[in-house]
Amino acid sequence: MKRLFTSPSARAWLIVAAIVLVAKVFAQTDPLPSWNDGSAKKAIVEFVRVTTTDGSPTFVPAPERIATFDQDGTLWVEHPMYTQVIYCLDRVPAVVKARPELANVEPFKTVLTGDLEAIAKLSMPELEKVLTATLTGMPVDTFSAEVNKWIAQAKNPRWRRPYTELTYQPMQEVLSYLRSNGYRTYIVTGGGQDFVREYSARVYGIAPEQVVGTAGGTQFGYDKHGRPFLTKEPKLLLNDNDAGKAEGIHLMIGRRPYAAFGNSTGDRQMLEYTGAGGGARLMMLVLHDDATREYAYGPATGLPETKVGAFTPALYDEAKAKGWTVVSMKNDWKRIFQFDR
Amino acid sequence: MKRLFTSPSARAWLIVAAIVLVAKVFAQTDPLPSWNDGSAKKAIVEFVRVTTTDGSPTFVPAPERIATFDQDGTLWVEHPMYTQVIYCLDRVPAVVKARPELANVEPFKTVLTGDLEAIAKLSMPELEKVLTATLTGMPVDTFSAEVNKWIAQAKNPRWRRPYTELTYQPMQEVLSYLRSNGYRTYIVTGGGQDFVREYSARVYGIAPEQVVGTAGGTQFGYDKHGRPFLTKEPKLLLNDNDAGKAEGIHLMIGRRPYAAFGNSTGDRQMLEYTGAGGGARLMMLVLHDDATREYAYGPATGLPETKVGAFTPALYDEAKAKGWTVVSMKNDWKRIFQFDR
């Protein structure tokens, strides 16, 4: 035996064999270490196996491997308020400074008081006025700079950490696991497309062009030096919620996903659209039932309804009827955040 | 020397060296064999060199390597009529069969006569009625099936070949060359996004999600079995021409291209937007000046203006002033089509 492995050609083959072996060992380490063993974890691993193993009857060619993820409440914390809404509220003083006539106009007047209880009571149309004033009307590059500045310094008051650290480690593992198996991962969010694109690559490893979100129009124009630039307009092109998520996927990707992940009624149509395709598909809903480590909310938890992330009993019933996987944060996740011990 | 190469470790290194050598030889073969030597070819090769060579002051990190291509007149023949318009005209009999009340209504009445001269005189609003009737109002999957059926059998009358064979071989080489250097290639077309996505992967090696085009809304709904589907609506979301190309790039990609290729005033803002970025950028315009092998048209050629592909003297002047490269089909291209000898 010893002689065999010292012959030149055998040596060369040994090197190849060693490389293959190392690759296999890596492949066999648990790709989802933050998940407890259970039906949810099993469903993910099984989905990857049957869609990526050569010869599987439900094999999916690599170019068609698309997985879509809601962001708020699915990839990171959304409670008690969407991060982007906090950004918009934080921007109000600067907007009022530039446009002083807004100081005594609602809802800006209320926002300026900083009274969180009163702010939480703002109606949807009032909130939309805040979003329009803080997300539109400026050059695309100005908006980009403002978001990046805010994201770098803003902290979540409960965890006293940057919002970008409040992503769910188990979902980060799902993103990596799918990508390492040839899936392209997309964010499909009700949040602003331009907002999420500013940090998606760094935070989730998802390139800006793989972020689909609520999107407004831009207006092409020239500055005084004749240099072209785009201005963010208050014209809604895509409301990427509910049916808008399926429509947005068609518009921005043009392929039906094989896997879709959400956590609320706003993700229902995206999961239905995904599930209506042939072959093996994976539909998952994250249930916020962990009041200790994160939050517990939504009717399906038996806890009081909240403004964000409604996981209704009807959605729960549909998930059960259609074989979608409901992920219990409490039971399925060993840890919630990367910084958890 | 002989002994050296027979020792086991030397053999292993020899294999590695051979692989590197083969890779280098491949890299040194001409990536643009259908281009004549000249300033246009040189500009492309130089752009790739300075943006992809480690240590170059204008090096572009791989994720930012985006190149955008107009389709009609830039990647394939657009004269005397856009291929998609021919598709729409060809669809009219089927539409009228399903909706007989249109038979005596203009512009459908004229289209049904098959009188090409009369059809060519249809006004833009009349043409839009034909586009709306043939491109919207059906499920997305039905549209997809109709386009694929047509594309498989329709032939261009001059070349008697499928339209999908009428792509410019020199531009196909640019697409491949850029991709082999880490660029992601996008089509940014005034044509219908859903239309071009049906064949872009097969014809250009460009995935559907990398096609940006004129796009309408879709409407999510359920069939009688409760299965969700999308219907193409006559609601315009993105007119991907002129300023709309820069706006569409922001909406659909979210990054400024490093290279942009067009052939008409409809591509002007895309090239301006590309050129306004820092570092090395490549802006190219294809000039149709080859009446023998393809067509010669547009004011900059000194030939009569046509309905499609207006390359105006103003655009020519802007290209010269800004250092954009004007590609002469006659002088810069050794051959036009893959099937040319």
Side-chain angles (χ1 to χ4, degrees):
Chain A
M1 283 298 274
K2 205 183 168 196
R3 281 207 77 79
L4 186 67
F5 285 125
T6 53
S7 87
S9 66
R11 266 296 274 270
W13 280 112
L14 198 62
I15 291 165
V16 173
I19 290 166
V20 171
L21 193 69
V22 168
K24 283 208 171 180
V25 168
F26 266 92
Q28 280 165 6
T29 59
D30 184 353
L32 303 171
S34 299
W35 290 71
N36 287 314
D37 288 329
S39 57
K41 180 173 181 173
K42 202 176 160 186
I44 300 167
V45 172
E46 184 64 8
F47 166 78
V48 167
R49 191 185 66 77
V50 301
T51 59
T52 65
T53 306
D54 266 331
S56 162
T58 52
F59 178 81
V60 178
E64 293 173 27
R65 292 182 197 161
I66 302 277
T68 56
F69 294 79
D70 168 58
Q71 181 191 229
D72 296 293
T74 300
L75 292 178
W76 74 358
V77 175
E78 68 178 351
H79 200 74
M81 204 179 265
Y82 298 127
T83 303
Q84 189 181 354
V85 173
I86 300 167
Y87 167 77
C88 292
L89 295 172
D90 282 0
R91 285 292 307 159
V92 165
V95 167
V96 172
K97 200 175 166 190
R99 297 166 58 193
E101 72 276 13
L102 294 177
N104 291 307
V105 178
E106 288 298 354
F108 303 97
K109 198 176 161 184
T110 296
V111 174
L112 286 173
T113 63
D115 176 350
L116 289 176
E117 223 166 295
I119 291 169
K121 282 180 190 151
L122 291 176
S123 69
M124 195 44 84
E126 285 176 316
L127 202 55
E128 275 169 12
K129 279 184 193 168
V130 174
L131 303 191
T132 301
T134 52
L135 299 175
T136 70
M138 74 289 283
V140 158
D141 292 346
T142 304
F143 175 74
S144 167
E146 283 166 1
V147 172
N148 279 295
K149 193 179 157 193
W150 184 84
I151 277 277
Q153 55 79 20
K155 284 191 177 169
N156 175 291
R158 175 170 164 188
W159 284 278
R160 298 166 194 271
R161 285 175 180 272
Y163 290 96
T164 48
E165 289 185 19
L166 298 177
T167 66
Y168 306 134
Q169 180 60 18
M171 294 305 290
Q172 291 275 15
E173 291 167 7
V174 172
L175 287 171
S176 297
Y177 179 46
L178 287 172
R179 285 197 291 258
S180 70
N181 282 282
Y183 276 89
R184 268 155 304 136
T185 52
Y186 281 77
I187 290 173
V188 177
T189 175
Q193 182 167 281
D194 283 352
F195 184 82
V196 179
R197 280 176 170 176
E198 289 301 328
Y199 56 82
S200 62
R202 181 171 56 84
V203 173
Y204 303 113
I206 293 177
E209 60 269 29
Q210 285 172 213
V211 173
V212 178
T214 296
T218 56
Q219 174 77 49
F220 181 90
Y222 302 92
D223 67 16
K224 59 185 177 181
H225 307 294
R227 191 177 176 274
F229 71 104
L230 298 170
T231 302
K232 286 173 68 66
E233 295 285 290
K235 181 191 163 196
L236 186 67
L237 287 183
L238 173 64
N239 178 358
D240 200 43
N241 284 295
D242 308 309
K245 288 212 176 191
E247 295 158 6
I249 287 168
H250 177 73
L251 175 69
M252 304 286 295
I253 311 176
R255 303 190 197 249
R256 192 192 299 266
Y258 273 83
F261 301 77
N263 79 302
S264 80
T265 56
D267 304 310
R268 185 165 72 90
Q269 288 88 340
M270 174 169 75
L271 269 66
E272 289 175 345
Y273 182 64
T274 301
R281 308 270 167 169
L282 180 66
M283 283 68 68
M284 290 201 128
L285 288 168
V286 174
L287 183 68
H288 293 260
D289 59 356
D290 193 329
T292 309
R293 296 187 300 172
E294 203 239 13
Y295 292 101
Y297 56 93
T301 59
L303 292 156
E305 193 166 352
T306 61
K307 261 194 172 178
V308 298
F311 194 139
T312 61
L315 182 65
Y316 195 86
D317 292 346
E318 182 173 356
K320 288 292 153 192
K322 294 187 171 166
W324 300 350
T325 304
V326 175
V327 177
S328 161
M329 292 180 75
K330 192 174 176 179
N331 301 318
D332 285 312
W333 289 359
K334 268 184 203 159
R335 57 175 182 173
I336 307 286
F337 304 110
Q338 201 264 330
F339 54 80
D340 282 346
R341 66 271 123 223
Chain B
M1 283 298 276
K2 207 182 166 194
R3 281 206 76 78
L4 186 67
F5 286 124
T6 53
S7 85
S9 65
R11 266 295 273 271
W13 279 113
L14 197 61
I15 291 165
V16 172
I19 291 166
V20 170
L21 193 68
V22 168
K24 282 208 170 178
V25 169
F26 266 92
Q28 280 165 7
T29 60
D30 185 353
L32 302 171
S34 299
W35 289 73
N36 287 314
D37 289 329
S39 57
K41 180 175 181 171
K42 201 175 160 187
I44 300 166
V45 173
E46 185 63 9
F47 167 77
V48 168
R49 191 185 66 77
V50 301
T51 58
T52 65
T53 305
D54 266 331
S56 162
T58 52
F59 178 80
V60 178
E64 293 173 29
R65 292 182 198 161
I66 302 277
T68 56
F69 293 79
D70 169 58
Q71 182 190 228
D72 296 294
T74 300
L75 293 178
W76 76 357
V77 175
E78 68 177 350
H79 200 73
M81 204 179 265
Y82 299 126
T83 303
Q84 188 180 356
V85 173
I86 300 168
Y87 167 79
C88 292
L89 295 172
D90 281 1
R91 286 291 307 160
V92 165
V95 167
V96 171
K97 201 177 166 189
R99 297 166 59 192
E101 71 277 14
L102 293 178
N104 291 307
V105 178
E106 288 298 357
F108 303 98
K109 198 176 162 185
T110 296
V111 174
L112 287 173
T113 64
D115 176 349
L116 289 176
E117 222 165 296
I119 291 169
K121 281 180 191 152
L122 290 176
S123 68
M124 195 44 84
E126 285 176 315
L127 201 56
E128 275 169 13
K129 279 184 192 168
V130 174
L131 303 191
T132 301
T134 53
L135 299 174
T136 70
M138 74 288 284
V140 158
D141 292 348
T142 304
F143 175 75
S144 167
E146 283 166 1
V147 172
N148 278 294
K149 195 179 156 193
W150 183 85
I151 278 277
Q153 54 80 22
K155 283 189 177 171
N156 175 291
R158 174 171 165 187
W159 284 279
R160 298 167 194 271
R161 285 174 178 272
Y163 289 96
T164 48
E165 289 185 19
L166 297 177
T167 66
Y168 305 135
Q169 180 60 18
M171 294 306 290
Q172 291 275 15
E173 291 167 6
V174 173
L175 288 171
S176 298
Y177 179 46
L178 287 172
R179 286 196 292 259
S180 70
N181 282 281
Y183 275 88
R184 268 155 303 138
T185 52
Y186 281 77
I187 290 174
V188 177
T189 175
Q193 182 168 283
D194 284 353
F195 184 83
V196 179
R197 280 176 170 176
E198 289 301 329
Y199 56 82
S200 62
R202 181 171 55 84
V203 173
Y204 302 113
I206 293 176
E209 60 269 29
Q210 285 172 212
V211 174
V212 178
T214 295
T218 56
Q219 174 77 49
F220 181 90
Y222 302 93
D223 67 15
K224 59 184 177 182
H225 307 293
R227 190 176 177 277
F229 71 102
L230 297 171
T231 301
K232 284 173 68 68
E233 296 285 291
K235 182 191 163 197
L236 185 67
L237 286 184
L238 173 64
N239 178 1
D240 200 42
N241 284 296
D242 308 309
K245 289 212 176 191
E247 295 158 5
I249 287 168
H250 178 73
L251 176 69
M252 304 286 295
I253 311 176
R255 301 189 197 252
R256 192 192 301 266
Y258 273 83
F261 301 77
N263 79 302
S264 79
T265 55
D267 304 311
R268 185 167 71 91
Q269 288 88 340
M270 175 169 74
L271 269 65
E272 289 175 344
Y273 182 63
T274 301
R281 309 268 168 170
L282 180 66
M283 283 69 67
M284 289 203 129
L285 287 167
V286 174
L287 183 67
H288 293 259
D289 58 357
D290 193 330
T292 309
R293 296 186 300 171
E294 202 239 13
Y295 292 102
Y297 55 93
T301 60
L303 292 155
E305 193 166 351
T306 61
K307 259 193 173 179
V308 298
F311 194 137
T312 60
L315 182 64
Y316 196 85
D317 291 345
E318 181 172 357
K320 289 292 154 192
K322 294 187 172 166
W324 300 350
T325 304
V326 175
V327 178
S328 160
M329 292 179 76
K330 192 173 175 180
N331 301 318
D332 284 312
W333 289 358
K334 269 185 201 157
R335 58 175 182 174
I336 308 285
F337 303 111
Q338 200 265 328
F339 54 80
D340 283 347
R341 69 268 120 224

